[in-house]
Amino acid sequence: MTTRSTIDRRSFLALSALLLSPVMSAKALAQGEPVKGGTLIYLEQQPHTVLYPPVGGFYPNSGVLNQITDKLTFQNPDTLEIEPWIAESWEVNADKTEYTFKIRPGVTFSDGTPLDAAAVAANFDSFGLGNKELNFRPSEVVNNYDRSEVIDPLTVKFIFKQSSPGFLQGTSVIGSGLVSLSTLARKFDELGDATLVVGSGPFVAVSQTTGSELVLKAREDYAWGPKNFAHQGRAPLDEIRFLIVPEDSVRIGALLSGQADVVRQIQAYDEAQITSAGFKLFAPPTRGINNSVVFRPDNPLVADVRVRRALLHATDTAEIVSTLFSDNYPQAKSIIASTAQGFVDLSDKLKFDPGLAAQLLDEAGWVLNADGKRAREGQVLEVTAYESLPQPQNRATLQLISQQWAKVGVTFNVLAGDSGSATVDNLDPAKTPVSPAMVGRADPDVIKSQYHPANRNVLQQLGGVSDKVQSFRDDTLNDLLEAIAGEVDPAKRLDLVAEVQAYVVDQAYAIPIFEEPQVFATASYVEGFSFDAVARPSFYRVWKTNANG
C-alpha cells in the first residue's frame, strides 16, 4: 500500500508540472481549422520495451513507433485497402514472389540521410532475414523472404523463395516501420532508448527517462504523410509527452481533472464515467486473434485433447464478458475476430457445457476425489498461468475462469504478470501449461503469427525459441499455417483460414473469449485523433482547440 500511494502522488505531481497554456487562434477555432502548437500529454499504462520495428506489436512500443516511423504503404482502417505512402506505387507478379516499389522522392530520416531504395532494401533484408549478430529475429509479417534488389535510387524489388501473398499488407504494419541505416546497425538491446531510433516520421524522440517519461518533438521539415491524407506537412502539435502511469485510477483521475489529454487502456468499468463527464471514448478493433486462453500440450496435464475440450466447455465466456466488460468487447465466436478476413462463426463448437466438460474429464481418467478435485493416479489436475499485463482486466478474466473450472474440479492458479520469473516460466510448458494470448493484424497471416513455432509459438511447439519443450509439435497445424502464408488465390486462402479456425477449435488448443479493442479516452478539446487498421494510435493530425491545454 505504501508503494502504491507513493506512485500515485509522484504521478500527479509529474502531471501537474507538465501543464502548458498555449493561446489558441479564435479564427481557427471558429472555422474548425487545426490549431498549431502545444504539448499533448499522453498517459500509457506500461513503458515501451524495445523499438526495433518487428517487435512493435506490443502496444506501448507501437504507440511510440507509429509517431517516429513511416511505412512503405498505408492500410486504410475504414476500407482495409492498401494505399501509397513512402511507396508511390508498386507492381506484383502473378505468383506473388516479386514485389517492386517506387519510392517517393525527397523523403529523409530525421538524421538527414535519404529514405531511398537502398534504405528500404536494408530494412526489409533485416526484417525478412534477421541478424543473429545484432540479435534481430526475422519479422513475423515477412514470410518466405529471399532477398532485395536495388533497381535504381528510387526503385527496389523484393524476391521471395515462394509465394508471399501477405507481404503487401505487411509493408503497412507497425512491424515494418522504416528506420535509418544507423539504427539498423545497432544491437537489439540498444533500441530500448527511443532517442537512438532514427525514423522518417512526423515526430522525433528527444529525451527519455526510462520507465517513466518520453518526449517527442514535431519534425519541422516533415512533408510526406500517407498519400490520401489531405494534410501532408508538419504535425500541428509541437510536442508529445508520454508518461507511464500504471494505476488505472490515476490515469482516469488525471484525464478528468485536466492534467492529461489522451489516455490508453480505459477499463470497461470506467467507460461510463468517461463519457458521462463529456470526454471522448474510442474503442477501435484489433481485427486479429481474439483474446484467448491457450494450452501447451507438451505438458502431460493438457496433452489429452479430451482435457482441453473439457476446459473449453467449462469456460463460460458469456459470463466473463457480461461481468467484466462492455459492448466494446464482443463475445468471441472463433479464434479470430468477426471483423477479420475469413472469419467463420464457430459458436456451436464453443458452447458452455459443464456437463459435457465433466463427462470428458471422466473419460480421460480424471475423476473427482473426496475433496472435489479432479485426480488421476494420485495426481491432482492443477494448472497455472501468468496474467498478461497488456491485456485488459486479464487477471480478473483468468480468476473468473479459475472459478468456472473449479466447478468441474480443476484447479487453475493465476500468478502475477510482473513476477520476476514470468518471462522464463512462460517459455516452459511444464510450468505454464496455460497462457493468455492475442495479436492484432488485418491479414490472414495473423493466424500464422500466433501459432507457428517460427513466430509467437503460443502453443510452445518444438522448433521455437524455448529449449524447454520436450516433444510437442503439430505439423498438420503448421502445414495449414504455411499454406495460408503462401496461397496466391484469395478464395483458396480464405478456405484455408476457415479450415485452420476449425482445426484449432477441434483440437481445443485455444479458448477464445472476446474480441479485444484498444480503448482510449481524450479530452473534448482533442481533435484529429486516429488509428491504424489495428487500433494503434496516430498523433500526426492531432490538435487541441482549448485555450488552456
Side-chain angles (χ1 to χ4, degrees):
M1 292 299 292
T2 302
T3 301
R4 179 170 293 187
S5 298
T6 301
I7 292 172
D8 287 3
R9 184 175 69 254
R10 288 177 178 174
S11 298
F12 273 120
L13 289 173
L15 289 166
S16 300
L18 291 170
L19 293 177
L20 298 176
S21 299
V23 177
M24 302 299 175
S25 160
K27 179 180 178 181
L29 291 174
Q31 295 180 352
E33 297 174 359
V35 177
K36 295 180 180 179
T39 294
L40 187 86
I41 306 298
Y42 175 61
L43 304 191
E44 249 293 357
Q45 181 193 43
Q46 291 181 276
H48 71 264
T49 55
V50 177
L51 298 176
Y52 177 56
V55 297
F58 179 50
Y59 272 83
N61 291 355
S62 67
V64 179
L65 283 168
N66 223 24
Q67 322 316 320
I68 64 176
T69 68
D70 298 321
K71 272 72 74 177
L72 270 182
T73 62
F74 177 76
Q75 186 170 28
N76 187 309
D78 297 320
T79 67
L80 299 186
E81 294 297 318
I82 304 300
E83 300 174 352
W85 192 352
I86 298 304
E88 288 188 317
S89 61
W90 51 86
E91 295 180 357
V92 185
N93 69 350
D95 63 0
K96 292 184 169 55
T97 58
E98 294 184 2
Y99 291 75
T100 304
F101 294 88
K102 193 72 175 178
I103 307 303
R104 191 171 180 168
V107 180
T108 60
F109 293 107
S110 60
D111 63 0
T113 58
L115 200 173
D116 55 12
V120 172
N123 272 262
F124 281 94
D125 284 349
S126 180
F127 301 163
L129 301 173
N131 186 321
K132 290 184 179 180
E133 182 180 347
L134 299 177
N135 200 26
F136 293 161
R137 296 193 70 217
S139 169
E140 65 184 4
V141 304
V142 183
N143 292 300
N144 307 323
Y145 190 83
D146 185 14
R147 67 188 188 278
S148 64
E149 291 183 4
V150 176
I151 307 301
D152 62 45
L154 292 176
T155 308
V156 60
K157 177 186 287 189
F158 298 110
I159 299 167
F160 294 81
K161 298 172 184 176
Q162 59 190 69
S163 298
S164 188
F167 179 68
L168 181 60
Q169 190 274 344
T171 64
S172 74
V173 304
I174 198 70
S176 296
L178 300 168
V179 294
S180 70
L181 297 180
S182 64
T183 302
L184 291 174
R186 293 187 179 275
K187 292 183 178 179
F188 181 84
D189 292 342
E190 294 182 77
L191 299 181
D193 184 346
T195 65
L196 300 180
V197 180
V198 178
S200 63
F203 293 92
V204 179
V206 295
S207 70
Q208 175 177 315
T209 304
T210 301
S212 62
E213 182 180 356
L214 174 66
V215 179
L216 306 184
K217 294 280 191 181
R219 186 174 168 186
E220 296 295 334
D221 62 347
Y222 187 82
W224 43 81
K227 183 179 179 180
N228 292 340
F229 280 17
H231 178 64
Q232 290 290 310
R234 178 196 187 277
L237 292 169
D238 287 336
E239 180 181 81
I240 307 169
R241 289 181 179 254
F242 288 65
L243 295 179
I244 310 306
V245 183
E247 294 287 342
D248 294 337
S249 61
V250 179
R251 294 197 309 280
I252 296 298
L255 181 70
L256 295 177
S257 64
Q259 294 178 300
D261 303 312
V262 181
V263 176
R264 190 182 79 86
Q265 198 81 324
I266 303 299
Q267 304 295 357
Y269 50 74
D270 285 321
E271 289 180 7
Q273 181 183 10
I274 293 293
T275 55
S276 65
F279 292 80
K280 301 176 184 179
L281 190 75
F282 302 83
T286 53
R287 289 192 174 96
I289 300 290
N290 286 325
N291 191 295
S292 306
V293 164
V294 298
F295 295 103
R296 277 77 181 272
D298 197 64
N299 186 308
L301 293 174
V302 293
D304 189 329
V305 68
R306 293 172 296 183
V307 172
R308 300 194 302 270
R309 286 175 181 162
L311 295 177
L312 183 154
H313 291 298
T315 305
D316 187 348
T317 57
E319 180 187 34
I320 295 169
V321 171
S322 64
T323 302
L324 299 176
F325 297 101
S326 69
D327 291 343
N328 291 319
Y329 300 77
Q331 183 180 355
K333 297 179 181 179
S334 180
I335 62 170
I336 60 174
S338 59
T339 54
Q341 296 178 49
F343 163 78
V344 175
D345 189 338
L346 298 176
S347 299
D348 287 346
K349 296 186 176 189
L350 299 170
K351 286 181 178 178
F352 172 57
D353 188 340
L356 177 57
Q359 176 187 326
L360 288 165
L361 289 168
D362 287 339
E363 290 175 3
W366 294 96
V367 297
L368 291 172
N369 63 17
D371 297 324
K373 306 287 187 181
R374 293 280 170 177
R376 185 177 66 186
E377 299 177 356
Q379 182 182 20
V380 172
L381 183 50
E382 181 174 351
V383 296
T384 297
Y386 285 90
E387 67 170 321
S388 172
L389 295 174
Q391 295 181 17
Q393 297 202 79
N394 190 245
R395 177 178 289 196
T397 297
L398 296 179
Q399 289 173 337
L400 184 48
I401 292 173
S402 177
Q403 295 171 25
Q404 294 171 352
W405 289 3
K407 293 177 182 178
V408 295
V410 177
T411 299
F412 179 26
N413 302 313
V414 180
L415 304 181
D418 57 1
S419 168
S421 58
T423 300
V424 173
D425 286 356
N426 271 321
L427 293 173
D428 188 349
K431 294 181 178 179
T432 53
V434 179
S435 177
M438 69 79 59
V439 58
R441 183 183 173 189
D443 186 87
D445 276 359
V446 71
I447 308 176
K448 178 177 179 288
S449 292
Q450 176 85 327
Y451 290 104
H452 197 276
N455 300 137
R456 299 193 179 208
N457 195 24
V458 295
L459 305 182
Q460 292 300 341
Q461 299 187 59
L462 278 174
V465 297
S466 174
D467 61 0
K468 301 296 184 182
V469 181
Q470 300 299 308
S471 61
F472 173 68
R473 186 175 175 93
D474 186 339
D475 283 325
T476 299
L477 173 62
N478 297 334
D479 288 347
L480 282 170
L481 299 173
E482 290 166 11
I484 290 171
E487 179 53 63
V488 174
D489 185 292
K492 291 180 180 178
R493 194 170 185 229
L494 294 184
D495 287 343
L496 290 165
V497 171
E499 187 176 350
V500 79
Q501 288 172 78
Y503 184 79
V504 169
V505 171
D506 288 343
Q507 292 298 314
Y509 285 147
I511 305 173
I513 302 169
F514 59 84
E515 299 183 14
E516 184 172 329
Q518 289 293 305
V519 185
F520 300 79
T522 75
S524 61
Y525 52 76
V526 173
E527 300 288 348
F529 191 36
S530 63
F531 309 91
D532 71 8
V534 291
R536 305 190 191 282
S538 170
F539 297 113
Y540 172 47
R541 295 178 290 180
V542 168
W543 53 286
K544 297 164 65 175
T545 65
N546 69 320
N548 299 311

